[in-house]
Amino acid sequence: MPSQKQLKWSQLKVGITVLVALTTLAVLIFLMSGTGGVFTKKIGLKTYVDNASGLRVGAPVRLSGVDIGNVSAVRVVPDPDKRLTPVEVTMKVNTKYHYGLLRKSETLLSTAGVLGETYIDIDNTNASGPEAVNGDILQSREVPDFQDVVRAGQGTLQNMDAILKRMDRIIAFVESGKGSVGKLIYDPTLYNRLSAMVNEFQQLVSEVGSGKGTLGKLVADETVYNKINATIDKVNLAIDDLNAGKGTAGKLLKDPALYDNANKTVVNIRQLTEDINSGKGALGKFAKDPEFAARIQNIANKLSAIADRLDAGEGTAGKFLRDPSLYNNADQMVVESRELVKAIRQNPKKYLTIHLKIF
């Protein structure tokens, strides 16, 4: 039977063995689940957000989906300059990924899945500048969280519910036969009218197919086709004659003499224009001679003065134009002449009797 001293020593060895095993297991678990181990060099970074959204101490910090550290502290700071982003998040990240950690990198609060834990995601897509060092503050970027999505979804669902209610009212209104759409669907009068219209259209098509009426003759009678074909042949013949230079129009298109004559005419007109501009000939003097222009102006002034005197009723011609007594006398003379002619026609003997006197 072992002594009490041997029993205590055995228990002590078992306890030491269990303690060493537990310590080894804890170290292995920490090395496997951590971001580098106890002896890994880390740096501290900070970021400020408006809402922690369930972020806890120990939450992972990821760079492009890879764990590079953990959140070491989450607290609200009483800094007046941080009123919009009062939550300070302190992170411990592994320096092994220093090439991807830049001072212009942005931090985002992301969620693993729909109901997963919240973690810090570092985005360096648009980052530039030097690498981040211990104590640097990374800029945060707001992203809509799950609650924001739920709120937006609730607004959308409410709008959809309102639209569905309106659709239900419209459908009920239509099913009752009210309104234009309701009458269009449920009123048999429209169907009867459409049926009658279709029947009339079928009858019209049958008449056209049988050659009745103007359209029927146009479709079934070959005379119209023959006439159109003959007309086309005549047009083609006329075009051939034009291309061959026959007739007046053909000569107009094909005869080079016409072009030469037209070209000569243009040259003559240009020469005439140049002569007029240079003051040659009657037209040139008329356009360029100032003495001739002065004479024309003098004649125009005299004609204007005569016209003014005529309008004022001066002289014989003026009185002829302005004096109403001349018109009255002429009118009276015409009336008396008519009466004289009428009297002569009625009793010519009275006025055409010839008296012969013999001395």
Side-chain angles (χ1 to χ4, degrees):
M1 184 175 181
S3 62
Q4 187 175 3
K5 185 176 181 180
Q6 292 176 348
L7 185 60
K8 289 181 179 180
W9 175 248
S10 299
Q11 292 175 352
L12 181 60
K13 289 192 295 183
V14 172
I16 292 173
T17 303
V18 171
L19 182 60
V20 172
L22 291 176
T23 303
T24 304
L25 181 61
V27 171
L28 291 175
I29 292 174
F30 179 76
L31 292 176
M32 292 175 64
S33 61
T35 57
V38 178
F39 302 104
T40 303
K41 185 178 180 182
K42 296 181 180 181
I43 60 175
L45 301 176
K46 292 183 179 181
T47 186
Y48 293 88
V49 296
D50 59 343
N51 193 331
S53 299
L55 186 67
R56 60 175 180 81
V57 176
V61 177
R62 295 174 181 173
L63 175 65
S64 300
V66 179
D67 291 350
I68 63 170
N70 299 92
V71 176
S72 60
V74 179
R75 69 188 186 93
V76 177
V77 294
D79 190 353
D81 297 333
K82 302 293 183 182
R83 288 193 303 270
L84 299 178
T85 55
V87 181
E88 181 187 72
V89 180
T90 304
M91 302 168 287
K92 292 292 185 179
V93 296
N94 196 335
T95 56
K96 185 171 78 171
Y97 304 97
H98 62 90
Y99 55 86
L101 289 173
L102 305 178
R103 290 183 178 179
K104 298 295 183 179
S105 299
E106 296 179 334
T107 61
L108 300 88
L109 288 180
S110 301
T111 305
V114 179
L115 300 176
E117 67 172 345
T118 304
Y119 64 93
I120 298 291
D121 187 17
I122 299 177
D123 183 16
N124 63 348
T125 305
N126 301 320
S128 60
E131 298 178 0
V133 296
N134 187 39
D136 282 344
I137 298 175
L138 303 182
Q139 188 70 29
S140 64
R141 189 175 69 193
E142 294 184 5
V143 293
D145 55 7
F146 181 72
Q147 293 180 354
D148 295 334
V149 175
V150 171
R151 294 191 193 97
Q154 287 178 350
T156 304
L157 291 175
Q158 291 176 356
N159 294 331
M160 289 296 296
D161 183 60
I163 293 173
L164 291 175
K165 289 180 180 179
R166 292 181 180 177
M167 290 296 297
D168 290 338
R169 289 196 298 269
I170 293 173
I171 293 172
F173 188 75
V174 171
E175 288 179 347
S176 63
K178 299 179 181 180
S180 301
V181 180
K183 291 181 180 179
L184 184 66
I185 296 175
Y186 291 99
D187 191 0
T189 305
L190 179 62
Y191 170 77
N192 296 331
R193 290 179 180 176
L194 290 175
S195 180
M197 186 182 298
V198 171
N199 293 331
E200 292 177 358
F201 183 74
Q202 289 178 350
Q203 184 179 358
L204 178 61
V205 171
S206 300
E207 292 178 354
V208 171
S210 61
K212 297 180 181 179
T214 305
L215 290 177
K217 292 180 180 179
L218 186 63
V219 173
D221 193 359
E222 295 182 356
T223 306
V224 179
Y225 169 76
N226 295 329
K227 290 181 179 179
I228 294 175
N229 195 14
T231 303
I232 293 174
D233 292 336
K234 292 180 180 179
V235 172
N236 290 330
L237 181 61
I239 293 173
D240 293 336
D241 291 340
L242 288 174
N243 290 328
K246 297 180 180 179
T248 304
K251 291 181 179 180
L252 186 64
L253 292 175
K254 297 293 185 178
D255 192 1
L258 178 65
Y259 170 77
D260 295 336
N261 293 331
N263 194 14
K264 290 179 181 179
T265 303
V266 172
V267 172
N268 293 331
I269 292 174
R270 184 180 298 171
Q271 183 65 37
L272 179 61
T273 305
E274 292 177 355
D275 292 340
I276 291 173
N277 290 328
S278 61
K280 296 180 181 180
L283 292 177
K285 291 182 179 180
F286 180 78
K288 296 293 184 177
D289 190 359
E291 184 179 355
F292 183 75
R295 291 178 182 178
I296 295 297
Q297 182 65 32
N298 188 18
I299 293 172
N301 294 333
K302 291 180 179 180
L303 290 176
S304 178
I306 292 171
D308 294 337
R309 293 181 65 187
L310 289 174
D311 188 61
E314 297 179 1
T316 303
K319 292 181 179 181
F320 182 78
L321 293 175
R322 306 295 294 181
D323 191 359
S325 60
L326 179 63
Y327 170 77
N328 295 331
N329 293 331
D331 185 59
Q332 184 178 0
M333 185 176 64
V334 171
V335 173
E336 291 177 354
S337 299
R338 282 182 186 174
E339 291 178 354
L340 177 60
V341 172
K342 183 178 179 182
I344 292 172
R345 287 178 179 177
Q346 291 177 354
N347 190 5
K349 293 180 179 181
K350 182 179 178 180
Y351 296 96
L352 297 177
T353 302
I354 300 174
H355 298 279
L356 296 176
K357 293 182 180 182
I358 298 174
F359 297 98

